[in-house]
Amino acid sequence: MTREEKQVLVDELSEKFQSHNAFYIADASGMSVAKINEFRRLCFNRGMEFKVYKNTLIRKALDTLEGDTTEMDAALKGQSGVLFSKESGNAPGKLLKDFYKAQAYGKNAIPKPAFKGAYIDSSIYLGADQLETLSTLKGKNELIGEVIGLLQSPAKNVISALSSGGNKLAGILKTLSEKEEVAA
């Protein structure tokens, strides 16, 4: 590969890093072609992309991001594939966990593609033990929905109390006015 071709790949990868708020790095070495194709198909069906790059090209593209990404060097050992997601930071984690379940790995087996690290909104997560945490993270839209629900709840309670109280008051006034008519 010529220097120009490498620069084109670095530019392409830098653009993807800039346009995706989350990406995961995973090691697919040792997987059969059929399994890698199955994984890529699952990624495509969920609106994600998995592509293998050389670690040096990933490192050069990471250098174009704002902030310090040197911690990601720990994930850039061996074969590295990048899993891109535009949706939320937890979507690739859920995808990996679902793929692992479908493959029915044994207790001591290392599931493939093996999670090595993730970059989500300028935060770095390293190591397979972080995958459970990442898959349960709530996305931006989920958090906004919860906040809106929490803000609406007190208002609904006040409106409900006022409307039910108003009905009671109207009933009491009607009963009193009927009693006055009967008494007169």
Side-chain angles (χ1 to χ4, degrees):
M1 185 179 293
T2 67
R3 186 173 286 190
E4 290 79 21
E5 292 171 328
K6 288 179 183 177
Q7 187 58 46
V8 167
L9 279 175
V10 168
D11 293 342
E12 172 191 318
L13 193 53
S14 295
E15 186 176 311
K16 285 184 179 186
F17 285 163
Q18 299 287 338
S19 65
H20 293 77
N21 65 341
F23 60 87
Y24 285 42
I25 296 178
D27 181 0
S29 63
M31 290 178 70
S32 68
V33 172
K35 288 293 179 193
I36 290 175
N37 288 339
E38 181 182 340
F39 181 69
R40 283 189 171 141
R41 194 172 309 111
L42 181 63
C43 291
F44 179 79
N45 290 339
R46 294 195 186 180
M48 293 178 235
E49 178 188 1
F50 180 75
K51 195 168 179 182
V52 176
Y53 294 94
K54 287 185 171 188
N55 290 327
T56 54
L57 299 179
I58 295 172
R59 175 74 260 154
K60 287 180 181 181
L62 284 172
D63 288 340
T64 64
L65 293 174
E66 292 178 15
D68 184 21
T69 59
T70 55
E71 287 182 63
M72 289 296 284
D73 289 346
L76 299 177
K77 306 237 184 307
Q79 187 185 32
S80 297
V82 183
L83 180 58
F84 298 101
S85 173
K86 283 188 179 181
E87 295 176 19
S88 63
N90 66 352
K94 288 179 180 179
L95 178 127
L96 284 169
K97 289 192 60 101
D98 291 347
F99 187 75
Y100 296 163
K101 283 181 191 174
Q103 304 308 310
Y105 287 103
K107 285 188 175 188
N108 295 329
I110 298 173
K112 295 287 183 169
F115 172 77
K116 298 190 322 182
Y119 182 91
I120 302 170
D121 294 326
S122 301
S123 296
I124 297 174
Y125 303 87
L126 297 172
D129 58 326
Q130 296 290 317
L131 186 59
E132 183 65 36
T133 304
L134 290 170
S135 66
T136 57
L137 279 178
K138 294 191 179 188
K140 181 179 178 180
N141 291 337
E142 292 170 311
L143 290 173
I144 290 172
E146 282 186 14
V147 168
I148 289 172
L150 290 171
L151 292 174
Q152 285 180 340
S153 181
K156 286 181 182 178
N157 291 341
V158 168
I159 291 170
S160 174
L162 289 175
S163 65
S164 68
N167 292 339
K168 287 180 185 176
L169 184 60
I172 292 170
L173 290 174
K174 183 178 179 184
T175 305
L176 289 174
S177 68
E178 287 174 2
K179 283 185 181 182
E180 286 178 8
E181 287 177 11
V182 173

